[in-house]
Amino acid sequence: MELRLENFTKRFGDVTVIENMDLTVNSGEMMALLGPSGCGKSTTLFAICGIHKMNGGALYFGDRDVTTVSAQGRSVGVVFQNYALYPHMTAEQNIGFPLKVQRMPKAEIRREVERLADLVQIGNLLDRRPAELSGGQQQRVALARAMIRKPDVLLLDEPLANLDAKLRLEMRSEIRRIQRETGITAILVTHDQVEAMSMCDRIALMRDGKIVQLDTPEQMYRNPQSQFVAGFLGNPPISFLPARADASLTLANGQTIERPPGLEAMGDVVLGIRPEHFGPQHGTGLKGKVVFVEPQGREELVDVRLDGGGDIRSILPAGDPIRPGETVDWGIAPGTILAFGPNGDRL
Amino acid sequence: MTAHPRIWHLVLILSIFSTPLVIMYVYQVIDSIASPDPGSLIPGEIDLSNWRFLWERIDMGRPSIWMVTFNTFIFASTTAFLVTLLSTTAGYALSRLDMPGRPYFLGGLIILHAFPTITLIIAIFIILQFLGLFDTLLGIILVKAALELPFGVWIMKGFYDTVPWEIEMAGVQDGASRFRVWWELVLPQVKPGLAALLIISFLSGWSEFVLPLVLAPGSSTQVLSTYMNAVIQDDASADFGLFKAIGMFYSIPVIVIYLVFQKQLMNIYGGGTKG
């Protein structure tokens, strides 16, 4: 079901956390609310599920205006960061609780619980209590409980933050699989750009209570609309170099590079260069010295300090014997330079 | 008991300091079932007549021990029930609800808890007199419960504070009303606190002496502590064997409760539940 947030405003006391935010999540889509902590993404989530009252604006599930509907009255499933399973109930009772509240007959609850348990693949764990389940299993129970009412919207609040690295990878694809299989409209709140990019159809990147860019993961990565977006997405992160644009681009240290085609701006700019676009395979042009090498198994992260100042990062396939202290003369892949104005906007 | 070699001196010091206590308890037990030998520490022959208060009236003016025990039980259990009931709801409100004046309320609880209640006794006396509750069990139950409440509310608030917010949010999201969330999801998490509070306030009521002494002096409302007091004050016949036997009788329930509920009682000091 489509979810629409119009002119959403939220204040805590005198502090306005979010002002006039618009957001539309298409039916069946998985949307990420991504941003640094304190950007208002969790506040938005809690407003959608009804735990926080909205100070202004309207919320629609499909055509239905639910702005003033209580949390109990909204058809929303939520998976909390710490899962919030009821410790005194078994997995089966946990999953069945929303139906028990609706006074559904026991046999029917049982059948529904089994259907959900199959979906999240915990059929053999139903009689265990949360304390007897691993983190990933608890996550699955929480997911089943959130979905058993067949909610209009599924909200996931940092669902992977409490899992260890390996489980996180597994649950990432699991959650995506379950979302695809059921076709449910979902919103994922996260501060981890990898989660957002790998799990979601679209990303709403938030900062200081505003959505700064709403796009597909690929578009947002390739075509960021501001320096903030470019810096937030990508791991290892993008490198920024201040430069002057005239006939060519003159870096602060005096080295020059060619103007990328399509760039019309003149004057002071900031260049963004992703690590995969800088390296020996892209020719020459930038001289510097390797200051740091971080082996990562398949790849190596290489920090280069340019002659005259400025740091730039490169990611290279492992195996090239590069040592700190080496002088290099590497190039930038043509057409990949991102340029930003002094105010951070994309040029 | 086997002591770890490195702490044997600790055990020794503790033993020395607790010896007087142990001796007192031992003689409490021995003297209650032996006829005293004046001037000697070695008890004479076994004599169960000290326990005669159980099956006969020790003198005409006194109520039967069973009546007094029943009073004590009613007093302690009703107090415990009241305190637990009110603390359970008040603790939740203080822990979760954003009500006006909450910080002052919390501060007030601490002050009330630390306040020496004995200084209030005259005022309470006047109030009970005015309400017509003087010398009634109901009167001292209300007073005792009121005085125990700050402690109970504080303890329960502490237990509620350990229950994650998300559990309540999840419950609300699952469609349950606030009351149902509290009753079905939150209350089970604070059960250990409930149990501990119930037992502790029962024991506190069981051992209460000053309130019944001052506020319910009549013989129909006598509880075990005031009954003992009356027996020892009876200077016509100072029967220490009898006194000790009554003392034993009085403390048996306390000992039993401690033995049975040790684990629950420790919870209150452990600070709450662990998932």
Side-chain angles (χ1 to χ4, degrees):
Chain A
M1 186 170 292
E2 183 193 74
L3 177 146
R4 206 147 35 89
L5 205 51
E6 284 176 2
N7 278 321
F8 165 49
T9 300
K10 177 69 198 172
R11 283 184 287 271
F12 289 111
D14 298 334
V15 186
T16 303
V17 183
I18 290 172
E19 201 163 6
N20 293 329
M21 179 174 138
D22 292 315
L23 177 71
T24 303
V25 184
N26 298 328
S27 185
E29 180 182 45
M30 184 144 174
M31 167 80 82
L33 288 181
L34 176 67
S37 40
C39 71
K41 56 191 191 298
S42 289
T43 307
T44 309
L45 181 104
F46 287 138
I48 293 173
C49 65
I51 287 168
H52 286 343
K53 288 204 168 54
M54 294 163 63
N55 295 106
L59 174 66
Y60 297 92
F61 289 172
D63 296 326
R64 184 170 163 234
D65 182 350
V66 295
T67 314
T68 54
V69 175
S70 70
Q72 287 95 336
R74 297 184 192 185
S75 180
V76 174
V78 186
V79 176
F80 293 90
Q81 179 172 352
N82 60 6
Y83 319 135
L85 297 178
Y86 312 133
H88 58 294
M89 296 185 184
T90 62
E92 177 174 0
Q93 289 165 327
N94 262 288
I95 300 172
F97 184 76
L99 297 184
K100 193 177 148 207
V101 171
Q102 295 177 351
R103 296 169 194 279
M104 194 181 264
K106 276 212 175 85
E108 232 170 293
I109 295 182
R110 172 90 212 168
R111 203 169 52 235
E112 280 298 291
V113 168
E114 272 165 10
R115 182 178 66 84
L116 263 294
D118 281 346
L119 179 71
V120 300
Q121 299 172 348
I122 49 158
N124 52 337
L125 304 171
L126 281 179
D127 52 349
R128 297 215 196 155
R129 281 172 209 282
E132 301 160 340
L133 297 170
S134 71
Q137 291 164 342
Q138 290 186 30
Q139 173 77 269
R140 287 167 191 265
V141 174
L143 206 55
R145 185 181 66 187
M147 310 244 314
I148 197 165
R149 281 197 309 173
K150 303 193 177 91
D152 296 339
V153 185
L154 177 67
L155 304 180
L156 304 147
D157 183 17
E158 306 260 7
L160 306 176
N162 286 8
L163 297 174
D164 59 54
K166 198 171 162 230
L167 261 178
R168 197 174 299 179
L169 231 85
E170 179 191 323
M171 286 313 292
R172 216 158 75 185
S173 47
E174 267 302 278
I175 291 176
R176 184 59 164 156
R177 171 185 70 80
I178 291 162
Q179 189 266 337
R180 279 232 172 91
E181 256 174 50
T182 53
I184 193 169
T185 308
I187 297 181
L188 170 80
V189 163
T190 179
H191 62 265
D192 183 347
Q193 43 113 359
V194 180
E195 272 172 33
M197 291 184 70
S198 59
M199 289 168 74
C200 296
D201 299 307
R202 285 196 299 163
I203 298 174
L205 184 57
M206 293 182 68
R207 183 195 200 183
D208 299 334
K210 290 192 175 61
I211 295 179
V212 290
Q213 188 170 352
L214 201 160
D215 236 325
T216 60
E218 299 78 24
Q219 270 303 311
M220 197 170 273
Y221 185 76
R222 264 192 232 137
N223 211 358
Q225 280 159 20
S226 70
Q227 194 176 342
F228 173 76
V229 178
F232 202 88
L233 292 187
N235 182 29
I238 194 168
S239 312
F240 291 115
L241 293 172
R244 251 200 99 65
D246 32 54
S248 61
L249 297 170
T250 312
L251 298 182
N253 58 28
Q255 302 195 38
T256 56
I257 37 184
E258 253 178 70
R259 287 183 73 101
L263 178 68
E264 284 158 17
M266 298 298 243
D268 287 330
V269 295
V270 175
L271 303 181
I273 298 143
R274 295 219 181 262
E276 63 269 30
H277 297 145
F278 173 67
Q281 71 272 38
H282 302 301
T284 57
L286 285 176
K287 296 187 179 63
K289 198 187 209 181
V290 175
V291 288
F292 187 68
V293 178
E294 187 183 317
Q296 291 199 329
R298 189 159 32 91
E299 286 141 350
E300 271 172 7
L301 300 186
V302 181
D303 287 0
V304 175
R305 177 146 306 149
L306 298 176
D307 295 343
D311 284 341
I312 183 166
R313 193 172 292 113
S314 168
I315 185 163
L316 300 172
D320 290 7
I322 297 168
R323 299 230 151 59
E326 232 172 274
T327 53
V328 293
D329 184 359
W330 287 349
I332 297 170
T336 59
I337 297 178
L338 305 167
F340 305 96
N343 60 357
D345 285 348
R346 178 82 183 277
L347 298 172
Chain B
M1 193 169 61
T2 55
H4 195 276
R6 281 168 74 185
I7 57 159
W8 67 268
H9 46 278
L10 279 180
V11 174
L12 184 73
I13 293 170
L14 277 177
S15 320
I16 291 170
F17 279 105
S18 36
T19 309
L21 265 176
V22 174
I23 291 175
M24 280 191 278
Y25 278 118
V26 167
Y27 274 96
Q28 165 82 17
V29 177
I30 291 175
D31 284 357
S32 75
I33 52 165
S35 60
D37 249 344
S40 163
L41 280 177
I42 300 142
E45 66 218 32
I46 288 185
D47 175 10
L48 290 178
S49 71
N50 286 335
W51 290 81
R52 67 182 180 278
F53 66 91
L54 287 182
W55 52 83
E56 65 187 37
R57 296 207 172 192
I58 42 180
D59 60 54
M60 289 334 282
R62 279 181 223 298
S64 104
I65 185 78
W66 299 112
M67 177 68 201
V68 175
T69 310
F70 179 73
N71 278 351
T72 318
F73 180 77
I74 290 294
F75 172 62
S77 55
T78 315
T79 309
F81 181 73
L82 258 181
V83 168
T84 311
L85 185 78
L86 294 175
S87 303
T88 307
T89 41
Y92 181 77
L94 281 175
S95 169
R96 288 294 201 255
L97 306 184
D98 186 19
M99 53 192 200
R102 184 168 163 275
Y104 304 102
F105 203 105
L106 285 173
L109 277 185
I110 298 283
I111 293 172
L112 278 177
H113 182 43
F115 201 78
T117 52
I118 196 73
T119 55
L120 296 173
I121 203 94
I122 304 295
I124 293 173
F125 172 81
I126 294 172
I127 294 170
L128 286 191
Q129 187 76 283
F130 178 75
L131 292 174
L133 291 173
F134 179 70
D135 204 10
T136 60
L137 268 185
L138 179 64
I140 53 171
I141 285 170
L142 289 179
V143 172
K144 178 67 180 163
L147 295 176
E148 282 287 305
L149 261 180
F151 170 74
V153 172
W154 188 258
I155 290 285
M156 286 318 295
K157 178 197 173 286
F159 273 90
Y160 281 122
D161 284 347
T162 65
V163 179
W165 262 108
E166 282 84 356
I167 286 192
E168 283 180 70
M169 291 187 192
V172 166
Q173 222 61 59
D174 285 345
S177 65
R178 273 311 282 272
F179 179 80
R180 184 162 189 177
V181 166
W182 173 72
W183 179 254
E184 214 165 322
L185 303 179
V186 178
L187 214 48
Q189 318 304 322
V190 298
K191 246 198 224 149
L194 281 185
L197 184 57
L198 198 64
I199 297 165
I200 283 185
S201 39
F202 180 85
L203 290 177
S204 168
W206 187 263
S207 56
E208 180 62 47
F209 170 58
V210 174
L211 293 179
L213 180 75
V214 180
L215 303 173
S219 64
S220 67
T221 52
Q222 214 161 35
V223 292
L224 278 169
S225 57
T226 48
Y227 178 83
M228 274 182 78
N229 182 53
V231 169
I232 201 70
Q233 274 185 341
D234 183 1
D235 38 37
S237 56
D239 189 339
F240 285 106
L242 174 70
F243 186 67
K244 284 181 172 168
I246 299 175
M248 278 306 293
F249 178 76
Y250 183 31
S251 46
I252 285 171
V254 178
I255 296 167
V256 169
I257 287 176
Y258 263 106
L259 287 180
V260 174
F261 295 110
Q262 265 185 66
K263 222 178 97 197
Q264 282 83 345
L265 283 168
M266 288 312 284
N267 265 324
I268 226 163
Y269 306 107
T273 52
K274 293 201 178 71

